[in-house]
Amino acid sequence: MRRLLIRPGAIGDCILSLPALECLKTDYTEVWVPSQVVPLIRFADCVRSIASTGLDLMGLPETETPPVLLDRLRSFDSIVSWYGSNREEFRSQVRELRLPFEFFPALPVPGESMHAADFFLKQAGCEGAAIPHLDCPRADRREFIVIHPFSGSARKNWPLDSYQKLAAQLDWPVQWCAGPEEQLDGAVRMSDLYELACWLATAQCYIGNDSGITHLAAATGVPVVAIFGPTDPAIWAPRGEHVQVISGNLEAITIHQVLEAVRGAAFRLPHRDSSRCPS
């Protein structure tokens, strides 16, 4: 069977969908995702960016769907799509053309208490542990901690000065990480998310907000301390054996709380007198 999987969304949404995507793999599997997520899809026979396919043109008034796109879509026996579930004009054209689409909501339904990764896996009709995983080349852990102090929304960010004070308390060197448009002097920046994942996998520990990069770090298996504010961690926390989540009012989360989590036994980091930690 030839199957196409179409998964739009932010980095974290796509990473939480990895178990579902992998479960839907068939004899030939092609995956269309946002451009920045393309390097993370390692299991498929072919991966394309949604933007490169012309899919966004389907269903638009007075716009003809590119013939090459229609030919491509018609070449599949099954198309599972998280794209277009909220675009009636898109779904209408799919029905008119009799394309083999099955649509899933791209986000958990309101009021859903199930973790997003489990929700996506259930949509796909699959069972098992919905724990995203990225295979990176084996490398020894290095003696540094990564801090990524940003996210897609300022309201989800623990204050930058708190991260800076935290870094001064750590017993390990700190490597700061930032995206291409995030202002932070001396930060490590990598445009290829798979290269970034493999670098994160070599760290002793990762600390960050509710962000796609935090989900990326967790998927590599590196120990993660994730700081959550307004988002519900029961639904959106990163998944992994070595993930600790600190949640609550971001202004009330203390450096001491985060420091103690980083020094937790799971991370095997040395302990220093916590009296130095500001409350």
Side-chain angles (χ1 to χ4, degrees), residues 179-199:
E181 298 179 0
E182 293 167 342
Q183 300 299 314
L184 187 63
D185 292 341
V188 172
R189 303 173 195 271
M190 298 183 188
S191 57
D192 185 302
L193 286 182
Y194 183 68
E195 291 182 3
L196 176 59
C198 292
W199 175 71

Side-chain angles (χ1 to χ4, degrees), residues 22-154:
E22 292 169 358
C23 183
L24 290 166
K25 180 177 172 62
T26 58
D27 298 328
Y28 175 87
T29 306
E30 189 164 318
V31 180
W32 296 0
V33 288
S35 301
Q36 58 188 346
V37 179
V38 167
L40 300 181
I41 308 299
R42 318 296 292 182
F43 69 91
D45 298 286
C46 178
V47 187
R48 302 174 188 268
S49 69
I50 293 173
S52 71
T53 66
L55 194 67
D56 291 341
L57 299 176
M58 280 190 67
L60 294 181
E62 301 180 1
T63 301
E64 183 179 355
T65 302
V68 65
L69 171 60
L70 287 180
D71 289 343
R72 190 68 187 168
L73 292 174
R74 285 171 174 151
S75 74
F76 294 100
D77 304 299
S78 167
I79 301 173
V80 178
S81 181
W82 285 265
Y83 178 95
S85 59
N86 292 324
R87 285 185 59 196
E88 175 54 36
E89 71 281 4
F90 180 89
R91 299 196 310 277
S92 176
Q93 185 165 22
V94 163
R95 290 191 296 268
E96 180 182 333
L97 296 169
R98 297 185 178 180
L99 296 171
F101 269 75
E102 180 179 5
F103 290 102
F104 292 147
L107 298 172
V109 296
E112 178 63 63
S113 59
M114 183 183 296
H115 191 279
D118 295 330
F119 177 80
F120 299 138
L121 191 65
K122 183 179 178 182
Q123 284 179 319
C126 304
E127 297 180 355
I131 300 177
H133 176 71
L134 290 170
D135 283 319
C136 293
R138 287 186 174 274
D140 292 335
R141 289 265 166 85
R142 302 172 191 171
E143 294 189 355
F144 68 89
I145 290 175
V146 173
I147 296 179
H148 179 254
F150 303 107
S151 72
S153 171

